[in-house]
Amino acid sequence: MSGTEAARLTAVLHGDFHVHSTFSDDARSTLAENIAAASAAGLATLRLTDHVRATTTWVPEFLSAVRAERIPEGLTVLTGVEAKLLDAAGTVDTPAGLVVGPGGVDAVVIGDHQFPGTDGPWSPTATRERLDAGLSADDALDLLVEAGIRAMERTPHAQLAHWFSILPKVGLDESQLGPQRLLAWAEAAAATGTIVEVNEKWACPGPDAIAALLRAGARIVASTDSHVAADVGRYERVPALLDAASARVAAETEEAR
């Protein structure tokens, strides 16, 4: 990997692209506390991101509250809403009329909270039951990857949150994805301009998936998925994932010479 690419990966750690506030019912810190924490951590970019579903009505209030905050010099604050991937067709659980882009949120952060089934979201338990009943691991992995690709194609200004975190919950592993699935997924991210976060909380996606993204030229960011301001911008697991991915790409480059 070139020095420029290595520097780009190091710069990834100067942002936190997935931080929750009290607009999410499972988070404890205010917008102001998260912004102050990001500035104290020396971050250059912060994406304030809160959970939504189809019935959510508070997004305009959230945007107004962010605009009213005092932003410290040197910090860029972006907005996002985190919405669930629902099904194999790539449907995402966003509110009707959600504005994304100018005048609205900067990104839809798509999370794999449940498994994208053919008839709607499958819980981890329901997915394991289907696997036990005869759904093959290969077919399940194809469903997940194809659903992710369709979601990226259907969702402008998208960011993938903690992608592949659903796999261990259903008894599967990223190592089972294989290079062809990862290639298709990574190329779709690059082609659609989808941002992919490397998530501190869930330590995913793993090095093979990150390496696929690097090869495809997709944009990678770091996130803590913080639900409390003390965690904003604090990375322990992400650097190792980025280093491992970088080493994989560097080794391939060396072998090709």
Side-chain angles (χ1 to χ4, degrees):
M1 178 166 292
S2 70
T4 300
E5 290 169 322
R8 180 165 64 90
L9 285 183
T10 300
V12 164
L13 299 174
H14 296 156
D16 193 339
F17 277 71
H18 183 164
V19 169
H20 292 282
S21 77
T22 48
F23 277 90
S24 293
D25 57 13
D26 58 349
R28 304 205 306 268
S29 297
T30 65
L31 297 173
E33 288 168 336
N34 287 330
I35 291 168
S39 180
L43 296 184
T45 309
L46 173 71
R47 188 186 303 285
L48 297 166
T49 306
D50 282 301
H51 293 288
V52 296
R53 51 184 63 86
T55 56
T56 297
T57 60
W58 49 252
V59 174
E61 179 187 353
F62 166 73
L63 290 171
S64 294
V66 174
R67 293 187 194 107
E69 293 293 337
R70 178 184 173 278
I71 309 302
E73 185 177 353
L75 178 65
T76 297
V77 174
L78 306 173
T79 57
V81 290
E82 183 178 6
K84 295 187 293 292
L85 174 64
L86 292 176
D87 56 33
T91 309
V92 179
D93 192 14
T94 53
L98 178 71
V99 177
V100 186
V105 295
D106 297 308
V108 176
V109 181
I110 308 171
D112 62 342
H113 297 94
Q114 298 194 68
F115 203 89
T118 53
D119 55 353
W122 298 342
S123 70
T125 298
T127 307
R128 288 193 298 270
E129 289 172 350
R130 283 173 168 82
L131 289 163
D132 291 341
L135 175 67
S136 72
D138 279 338
D139 285 345
L141 293 167
D142 285 344
L143 270 178
L144 177 61
V145 170
E146 289 167 10
I149 291 172
R150 289 172 182 164
M152 289 188 274
E153 292 171 343
R154 293 178 59 168
T155 311
H157 305 281
Q159 175 176 314
L160 298 187
H162 49 69
W163 214 250
F164 302 132
S165 67
I166 189 65
L167 289 177
K169 299 174 187 176
V170 303
L172 299 174
D173 188 86
E174 276 193 53
S175 64
Q176 296 172 268
L177 287 165
Q180 293 307 311
R181 290 190 187 93
L182 289 177
L183 174 65
W185 169 76
E187 288 186 340
T192 59
T194 299
I195 298 169
V196 182
E197 67 178 54
V198 183
N199 187 286
E200 174 72 19
K201 181 177 179 181
W202 297 99
C204 65
D208 287 339
I210 299 169
L213 294 166
L214 292 173
R215 293 185 209 102
R219 184 181 176 194
I220 298 167
V221 298
S223 81
T224 59
D225 201 350
S226 165
H227 285 60
V228 59
D231 292 336
V232 172
R234 297 185 179 277
Y235 296 114
E236 295 180 1
R237 306 163 87 181
V238 169
L241 294 171
L242 295 174
D243 286 347
S246 176
R248 281 165 169 73
V249 175
E252 292 167 4
T253 302
E254 187 63 29
E255 287 176 6
R257 287 178 179 171

